[in-house]
Amino acid sequence: LLLYARRLLEPVRQLFQMGLSQSMIPPQRLFLDLTPEPTLALLKKGLGRRFSLWKEFSDHVPGPTVVQWKYYGTKMGWTMKLLLKERNLCFISAYQGYFAVAFVFGAKAVTAVGQSTLPAELILELVQARKYAEGRGIRVEVKSREALEHAKILIDIKRAS
């Protein structure tokens, strides 16, 4: 029995000897507390060098858009809703060092995404996503310029649909 337990725990022991890799540490979401409400200064501090990607994404979306921060509780924290009049364009969540943009697309927009220049894996992820009354959802973690470009294409399709 002791030999069996050692074999089971060996991979865990090796991980601790090597140290935990970055990919094994869960992402740290910013703005989990009800107060203070997120500000540009807090966002800049939390995103670090990737704040420039956030700024570029925000500047890419032509007006008139409305930015609305909404608190969804202690597990989800604050999320930024980007609206065109009263229509949701996307939801943006901030994490330590990066941000994620979530979209919900109706049938016509899903077709437009399928005909876009986005990578096949991203298109497939959307097409295979569960369908809800609002449409199909997809989330892009913006940690690189390439991911930023994908998010920009998706927001353009969302605005046009």
Side-chain angles (χ1 to χ4, degrees), residues 45-100:
K45 181 180 176 187
L47 293 177
R49 64 184 175 87
R50 293 202 178 107
F51 178 76
S52 61
L53 298 177
W54 173 288
K55 183 81 174 99
E56 189 174 332
F57 181 75
S58 297
D59 292 345
H60 176 77
V61 183
T65 55
V66 175
V67 172
Q68 183 181 81
W69 283 97
K70 190 159 177 158
Y71 187 71
Y72 289 96
T74 55
K75 286 187 180 181
M76 296 296 292
W78 289 91
T79 296
M80 180 170 137
K81 289 172 67 173
L82 196 55
L83 303 125
L84 179 63
K85 296 183 184 176
E86 294 180 15
R87 181 175 167 235
N88 282 334
L89 291 176
C90 64
F91 298 87
I92 308 173
S93 304
Y95 293 84
Q96 189 65 48
Y98 72 97
F99 64 97

Side-chain angles (χ1 to χ4, degrees), residues 11-26:
V12 175
R13 188 186 67 74
Q14 288 175 356
L15 282 175
F16 279 105
Q17 282 181 338
M18 295 180 342
L20 295 174
S21 75
Q22 278 298 99
S23 64
M24 298 174 76
I25 300 171

Side-chain angles (χ1 to χ4, degrees), residues 133-152:
E134 302 85 10
R136 297 178 192 276
I138 191 164
R139 185 172 174 269
V140 177
E141 291 185 349
V142 181
K143 298 179 180 179
S144 65
R145 178 144 302 281
E146 181 182 27
L148 173 65
E149 294 307 317
H150 297 163
K152 287 161 98 177

Side-chain angles (χ1 to χ4, degrees), residues 98-111:
Y98 72 97
F99 64 97
V101 187
F103 300 92
V104 177
F105 292 106
K108 287 181 186 177
V110 169
T111 302

